[in-house]
Amino acid sequence: LSCGILPARGASLPTAPRYMLAAAALSHLPGVPNFRDVGGIPCDAGARFTRPGVLLRSASPCCANGQAVHELVGVRGVGTVLDLRSPDEALADDTKAFQGSSRPLGHLTVHVNLMDSSLVRNGVLRRLLMSPSAAVALGGLRLLRSMPPPPDQHAELLARTRLSRTRVAPSLSRSLWRAVARYAAAREAAGAAYDERVAALLAELSLADVYEWILTRNGNAVRRALEVCAEALPRAPVLVHCTHGKDRTGLLVSLLLHAAGASAEEVAAEYARTDAWAATAEGRAAQEAMLPARLAARLDLDGFCRASPATLHELWRRVEARYGSVDGYMSAIGVAPATRAALRDALTAPRPPAEGGPVAGGERGQ
């Protein structure tokens, strides 16, 4: 897959058009879906470009086979795999894929939990509390839904109540069975109504809402992920991934590109490149697998699967309204200027003066 596209270590970086060629060509790796190189993006108004082969992104690489691992580690020289999933999510994914075998990229992996189900659940709860009557109704449904199920068989109920030893057991048993049937039906109806209401709440969410929750409620993890990249990128390429490779990965890569000097338009365009894969059957299946089955069947997943530039533009508008700028947000969560400078130096190189000309500072980290 490298096919001579990536420059040898220490060699001058390719000219601007070949940056774009590298970024476009390195877009498929067996067993690593939604994979691409974040190289070739103009920064500092075109004076610099992101280096090819330095920052890689993907969905979960849990199904990477030996060939893919060799390509990532042996050919591309990946030194760090930054996993943005929750521990439970990562464990379930890896166990399913490897059935308990050793993880092929485990020795390179750093975990930073950027988002888990509790973050979304708490966000929905905060929004729900803005309507107390709806919160009470949903709470009542949840209470009934969570009550223990009725016994499976009439005989079990009679054995528990010891009515089978009395003369009145036949008549009482019919009454109790009708009561059990009504209870079971009410519990099932409450569960269905609860799921419908939760699905309706989720349908009202936008991806910009979820991304905003990550930034504002999990700033320490965002800072930690940026610091991991700033420390690792000068030494060797980094692969960033989550499960779907769109939301957590897309958000972090967007912040990395901002630190590198890319414009909001370029950052949004890079984010939107995921749309082509996310809308496929494989992409939709990966997104659906992240949701409880009872909710996934009730949701229109199109909005969650797509990667529109408008999503990031809306997110940056909210960030600017709250923090003044994206840089202001980074300062608010404690990202040091030295960290941002390290990211810019590791991720970018000056634009070549002319087609085929040498690139000043071609070494990584210069």
Side-chain angles (χ1 to χ4, degrees):
L1 287 175
S2 57
C3 300
I5 293 175
L6 290 178
R9 289 186 180 274
S12 295
L13 291 173
T15 57
R18 294 218 33 217
Y19 270 104
M20 302 305 175
L21 173 63
L26 301 178
S27 58
H28 177 70
L29 193 63
V32 186
N34 198 14
F35 173 81
R36 66 179 180 271
D37 183 341
V38 191
I41 297 175
C43 299
D44 295 344
R48 300 175 71 87
F49 281 83
T50 52
R51 303 170 184 265
V54 173
L55 179 61
L56 311 173
R57 57 175 293 177
S58 74
S60 170
C62 70
C63 294
N65 56 23
Q67 175 189 352
V69 173
H70 172 70
E71 177 68 26
L72 287 170
V73 181
V75 177
R76 303 181 191 274
V78 169
T80 300
V81 176
L82 179 54
D83 186 345
L84 302 177
R85 300 174 297 176
S86 68
D88 290 343
E89 190 180 358
L91 179 61
D93 196 5
D94 294 340
T95 301
K96 177 177 63 178
F98 297 112
Q99 298 180 349
S101 64
S102 60
R103 299 175 60 206
L105 298 172
H107 65 294
L108 301 176
T109 298
V110 176
H111 288 276
V112 178
N113 181 8
L114 214 58
M115 181 189 74
D116 54 23
S117 59
S118 65
L119 186 142
V120 177
R121 183 170 60 248
N122 291 337
V124 172
L125 179 60
R126 287 191 300 271
R127 179 166 293 189
L128 182 62
L129 291 177
M130 297 172 65
S131 174
S133 59
V136 170
L138 191 65
L141 291 172
R142 179 179 175 81
L143 178 63
L144 182 54
R145 174 180 175 271
S146 63
M147 294 180 69
D152 292 334
Q153 297 180 4
H154 191 181
E156 182 180 350
L157 176 62
L158 293 178
R160 288 190 177 189
T161 58
R162 298 184 179 180
L163 290 175
S164 58
R165 297 180 183 178
T166 70
R167 293 183 184 180
V168 293
S171 60
L172 283 180
S173 66
R174 287 192 294 272
S175 298
L176 284 172
W177 178 243
R178 286 194 294 269
V180 167
R182 288 194 296 269
Y183 169 74
R187 181 178 177 275
E188 182 177 354
Y194 175 83
D195 289 342
E196 287 287 354
R197 294 201 180 194
V198 170
L201 286 170
L202 291 176
E204 293 174 1
L205 297 180
S206 69
L207 286 175
D209 293 329
V210 178
Y211 296 171
E212 184 182 12
W213 294 343
I214 294 174
L215 295 181
T216 58
R217 299 286 173 173
N218 213 7
N220 288 338
V222 174
R223 184 190 69 248
R224 171 61 180 153
L226 292 170
E227 290 172 346
V228 168
C229 291
E231 181 180 350
L233 282 167
R235 299 196 303 264
V238 172
L239 172 65
V240 179
H241 77 88
C242 51
T243 295
H244 199 240
K246 176 175 71 74
D247 300 317
R248 288 164 288 191
T249 299
L251 181 57
L252 180 64
V253 168
S254 296
L255 291 172
L256 290 169
L257 290 177
H258 174 83
S263 67
E265 289 72 21
E266 292 290 350
V267 173
E270 202 292 322
Y271 166 82
R273 289 184 63 198
T274 295
D275 190 74
W277 176 81
T280 65
E282 183 184 23
R284 289 179 62 85
Q287 186 72 56
E288 185 174 343
M290 299 172 62
L291 296 168
R294 67 179 194 278
L295 292 180
R298 301 173 187 273
L299 281 172
D300 180 2
L301 292 178
D302 284 344
F304 291 97
C305 290
R306 307 313 295 256
S308 168
T311 297
L312 276 195
H313 288 310
E314 170 61 17
L315 176 65
W316 297 148
R317 186 193 66 76
R318 298 183 188 185
V319 168
E320 290 169 2
R322 184 165 184 168
Y323 299 97
S325 65
V326 179
D327 286 325
Y329 167 74
M330 290 190 176
S331 297
I333 63 173
V335 180
T339 299
R340 287 177 246 178
L343 289 171
R344 179 181 180 276
D345 291 344
L347 284 170
T348 68
R351 180 188 182 117
E355 179 75 25
V359 178
E363 299 287 342
R364 176 178 284 118
Q366 290 187 355

